[in-house]
Amino acid sequence: MVEYVGYLAMVVAVVGTFINAARPMNRVCFYLWVASNATFVVLSCLADQVPQTVVFSANLVACVIGLCARAKGKKVDKCCCGADVHPQLGKNCIDCFFNSAIEAPDGDYIREDGDIFLMPEGVMLQS
């Protein structure tokens, strides 16, 4: 039974990681990580695994700090479509910027309003 709890906590942690990769700064991933790390702290204590207990405890504290930092009013700017603004694209989300931009021959993007995004060579922009 305890083994299945560990597998469930692992799945929850991985789901949180993918949510964070798809939507950085999403609070849901922190709640999932708090749940999985708390479970791993208990499981590693029961198994008398001190190093794992310390690591998962530190991760748990980091997740709580992350949640508190986001709750303190760090408001995420929104695009006109309601999505979170991408930090490299000023007042736009990635979809709205590229939907209204023209790709220049050198790989940079230019919009009618004059906004320019210089695409670093060999770098993919992630949403």
Side-chain angles (χ1 to χ4, degrees):
M1 175 66 176
V2 172
E3 185 177 339
Y4 293 117
V5 172
Y7 285 121
L8 179 63
M10 177 202 57
V11 169
V12 169
V14 170
V15 168
T17 300
F18 279 101
I19 290 173
N20 187 50
R23 284 298 230 177
M25 308 304 280
N26 190 331
R27 294 181 63 152
V28 171
C29 61
F30 285 94
Y31 290 118
L32 293 173
W33 288 334
V34 165
S36 66
N37 284 318
T39 302
F40 283 128
V41 166
V42 171
L43 292 176
S44 57
C45 279
L46 292 174
D48 200 26
Q49 297 291 321
V50 175
Q52 284 185 332
T53 303
V54 172
V55 168
F56 289 122
S57 297
N59 289 343
L60 179 60
V61 169
C63 288
V64 171
I65 290 170
L67 277 171
C68 292
R70 277 146 191 80
K72 281 189 175 178
K74 260 203 159 187
K75 190 175 179 184
V76 177
D77 292 329
K78 298 288 183 184
C79 180
C80 60
C81 70
D84 293 345
V85 171
H86 193 281
Q88 294 176 315
L89 299 178
K91 59 186 182 288
N92 298 111
C93 70
I94 193 166
D95 292 330
C96 289
F97 183 89
F98 287 109
N99 284 339
S100 62
I102 300 168
E103 184 174 5
D106 60 359
D108 297 336
Y109 290 85
I110 305 166
R111 290 180 12 142
E112 287 180 12
D113 63 4
D115 283 349
I116 299 173
F117 177 73
L118 303 175
M119 184 68 76
E121 197 170 316
V123 174
M124 293 294 294
L125 186 67
Q126 297 179 352
S127 58

